[in-house]
Amino acid sequence: QEKEEKKAKKAKTPMQFFSQEQSPRVQQENQTLKQTEINKKISEMWKKISPEERVKYENMAAQEKKRIEAEKPQVAKRASTGFFFYGQHIRESIKEEFPGIKVTDIARKIGERWKLLSDEEKQPFQELAKKDKERYESEKARFGTPPQKKRKSSAKAAAKKKAKLNEAAEKTKGKKPQ
């Protein structure tokens, strides 16, 4: 039950409301069917209903979404850096320049180009970051700070780090101090 409370609630879809309403009737009429088969029947029924009938379930879903959004605690969205604003500005041109480029490679290109910019060229993006920081400080005063994300440390990452440290120590053992 604690896990359910921690888990963020998501609004039901119109189809889920339809299914919730139709399920008891379909189960009653088809008592020998397994739940998966009942779900398939309900899915087929959903595909056949008219747009006018769907409106009822779409309204239910919209109301549910509003209710859940209202229950969410409001927190300040963290401020972006000048680098992030630059990345937003240049991302599309990199995609056009290199069609089919991977997301990781786009990030690498953005970083490479950011390093090549002069302080004057970075200035407009740093200004945006400054304004965004002011927005963040204002929101933080109203809503409070966002919760800190817990970092997951894996055994694999710890083993890699230890191996690197051991390797560095081995390299320095054989060298004479200058």
Side-chain angles (χ1 to χ4, degrees):
Q1 189 176 12
E2 287 178 26
K3 283 185 180 180
E4 287 177 24
E5 290 173 10
K6 289 181 182 178
K7 193 172 154 182
K9 288 185 179 181
K10 289 187 179 180
K12 292 179 187 173
T13 65
M15 200 307 195
Q16 287 172 320
F17 278 106
F18 177 78
S19 178
Q20 188 177 17
E21 186 179 275
Q22 297 297 320
S23 188
R25 185 180 58 82
V26 174
Q27 285 176 339
Q28 188 69 34
E29 292 171 1
N30 304 283
Q31 292 180 355
T32 59
L33 293 181
K34 294 180 181 177
Q35 187 62 47
T36 53
E37 293 165 332
I38 290 171
N39 292 344
K40 284 179 187 176
K41 270 192 174 293
I42 294 171
S43 179
E44 289 170 14
M45 291 167 59
W46 173 252
K47 290 175 187 174
K48 292 177 184 175
I49 68 169
S50 70
E52 294 81 25
E53 290 176 288
R54 281 183 190 234
V55 169
K56 171 186 170 186
Y57 303 104
E58 289 167 355
N59 289 340
M60 291 167 78
Q63 285 177 346
E64 169 101 345
K65 186 174 181 178
K66 279 183 187 176
R67 185 186 59 77
I68 288 174
E69 286 296 320
E71 288 176 3
K72 282 185 181 177
Q74 290 188 330
V75 293
K77 182 181 174 228
R78 294 191 192 282
S80 290
T81 64
F83 173 74
F84 273 54
F85 283 109
Y86 175 72
Q88 289 173 345
H89 175 73
I90 196 172
R91 180 171 273 107
E92 287 305 316
S93 64
I94 290 174
K95 284 182 180 179
E96 289 171 9
E97 192 177 335
F98 302 97
I101 189 170
K102 293 179 183 175
V103 174
T104 52
D105 293 332
I106 292 172
R108 189 175 297 114
K109 293 266 185 216
I110 292 170
E112 290 168 359
R113 291 182 184 186
W114 175 256
K115 287 178 185 175
L116 296 174
L117 293 180
S118 68
D119 288 343
E120 291 170 359
E121 292 171 313
K122 290 180 181 180
Q123 190 60 33
F125 304 106
Q126 300 293 18
E127 287 295 321
L128 289 170
K130 186 178 176 182
K131 287 179 184 173
D132 197 42
K133 185 167 183 165
E134 290 169 4
R135 180 225 22 105
Y136 170 67
E137 293 299 331
S138 168
E139 284 184 6
K140 195 166 74 167
R142 278 192 301 163
F143 306 129
T145 57
Q148 296 292 319
K149 291 182 180 176
K150 291 183 181 177
R151 294 181 184 256
K152 295 179 183 176
S153 61
S154 68
K156 204 175 198 180
K160 272 187 179 181
K161 188 174 182 178
K162 189 175 181 179
K164 279 187 178 182
L165 290 171
N166 288 339
E167 189 178 308
E170 289 296 319
K171 284 182 182 178
T172 56
K173 273 186 183 179
K175 292 186 179 180
K176 295 179 182 177
Q178 295 177 354

